[in-house]
Amino acid sequence: MVETRSERARELFAPLGPTYDRYARLLSLGQDPRWRRFLVSRLPVGPDEVVLDVATGTAAVALELVRQKACSVVGVDQSQEMLEEARRRLRLAAETERVRLVEASAGEVPFEDCSFDGLTAAYLLRYLDDLPAGLRELARVLRPGATAAALDFGVPPATLPRAAWNLYVDIGLPAVGGAISPGWREVGRFLGTSIREFDARFPLPRLLALWREAGFDDVRARRLSLGGCTVVWGRRA
Ligand SMILES: C[S@@+](CC[C@H](N)C(=O)[O-])C[C@H]1O[C@@H](n2cnc3c(N)ncnc32)[C@H](O)[C@@H]1O
């Protein structure tokens, strides 16, 4: 039996690696490359700097970081299977030597304090077992003044977009996921509940307060695609 959110994530992502990029894009209705570009644009880093990309998965954000900022990237993920796909993808990319991959949990990253000049995390926070402790752990490995940025799905706040979103996550996602494979059926069933639960436990003002309590200043947020995605970023105090 699965006990924790991070164990649930491990189980959920194990079968998805080889098809993740194609179907993640489809299920976000083509939006997630744009969301990742915005996430990466929040980081004021350059070619001599090193960014930690937590929950790197198949390295989509890591590659966007190299392309947009020409920085070096360390990508961390707890899923061996997702990292395997990241390695395959990196072998085909020109930016390979700029990205190093490490298998580890976001709750305890194997790096010294103040090791990184920036940090990104796409679709991670919902899977953390202890969000306040997780944010503190991410702050720990950033040098003072460095920026962290995280994105995740959100529940659109306005009535009409929320009604459309409800239909999509309750009917569209399970139907499309089920048509792809058993692994994606699980994702299709799981996502709506997971996003709503996170939004109820950590409404945006509470989430921003947790970032500040974890040691970030100038914490800001932007909702994208009518609130279907929320990006939060802040500077390590
Ligand atoms: C939806 S994927 C996102 C991957 C990538 N960031 C992207 O934008 O495509 C979520 C990733 O988070 C990883 N993950 C979830 N919980 C984690 C944890 N506690 N520690 C490390 N990785 C985690 C999963 O293994 C999976 O690869």
Side-chain angles (χ1 to χ4, degrees):
M1 197 180 114
V2 170
E3 303 279 343
T4 64
R5 286 193 178 80
S6 54
E7 282 173 28
R8 180 80 180 95
R10 199 186 288 281
E11 187 189 72
L12 199 64
F13 286 100
L16 302 186
T19 56
Y20 175 80
D21 295 321
R22 194 179 335 147
Y23 293 125
R25 187 172 188 151
L26 175 74
L27 295 181
S28 75
L29 304 175
Q31 296 295 298
D32 74 353
R34 189 168 74 85
W35 297 346
R36 291 193 192 99
R37 280 197 298 277
F38 181 79
L39 174 82
V40 166
S41 75
R42 301 301 85 198
L43 265 66
V45 292
D48 297 329
E49 294 182 297
V50 186
V51 174
L52 180 64
D53 179 42
V54 193
T56 199
T58 60
V61 173
L63 285 169
E64 181 61 31
L65 277 161
V66 178
R67 286 171 190 155
Q68 219 184 94
K69 304 288 180 180
C71 58
S72 298
V73 182
V74 177
V76 164
D77 202 286
Q78 68 173 10
S79 164
Q80 208 181 313
E81 295 86 356
M82 291 291 276
L83 287 176
E84 195 45 53
E85 186 59 21
R87 281 190 196 96
R88 197 193 61 76
R89 194 174 182 187
L90 286 169
R91 277 196 293 275
L92 304 175
E95 299 84 353
T96 309
E97 70 288 351
R98 284 260 173 198
V99 182
R100 182 163 75 85
L101 298 172
V102 176
E103 187 181 330
S105 162
E108 206 172 337
V109 285
F111 307 108
E112 304 280 309
D113 295 359
C114 309
S115 304
F116 294 96
D117 306 298
L119 184 147
T120 46
Y123 311 104
L124 167 72
L125 302 187
R126 252 179 316 112
Y127 297 113
L128 291 178
D129 296 319
D130 180 341
L131 181 64
L135 287 171
R136 286 196 296 277
E137 174 65 355
L138 302 185
R140 178 184 71 74
V141 296
L142 275 180
R143 66 162 170 75
T147 298
L151 73 72
D152 213 320
F153 294 114
V155 180
T159 310
L160 275 179
R162 188 163 63 240
W165 184 88
N166 281 330
L167 276 178
Y168 179 61
V169 299
D170 291 339
I171 296 168
L173 265 182
V176 177
I180 300 170
S181 70
W184 283 101
R185 176 181 302 124
E186 259 322 282
V187 174
R189 284 182 182 156
F190 162 88
L191 263 183
T193 307
S194 164
I195 298 165
R196 285 191 185 107
E197 192 223 25
F198 187 82
D199 184 70
R201 280 193 304 142
F202 305 109
L204 195 50
R206 168 98 185 103
L207 184 60
L208 301 188
L210 284 180
W211 274 65
R212 286 186 210 101
E213 287 162 25
F216 291 99
D217 283 341
D218 293 337
V219 179
R220 293 169 200 207
R222 175 90 59 91
R223 293 187 199 268
L224 304 177
S225 306
L226 302 172
C229 169
T230 304
V231 182
V232 177
W233 66 98
R235 217 164 24 80
R236 171 85 159 85

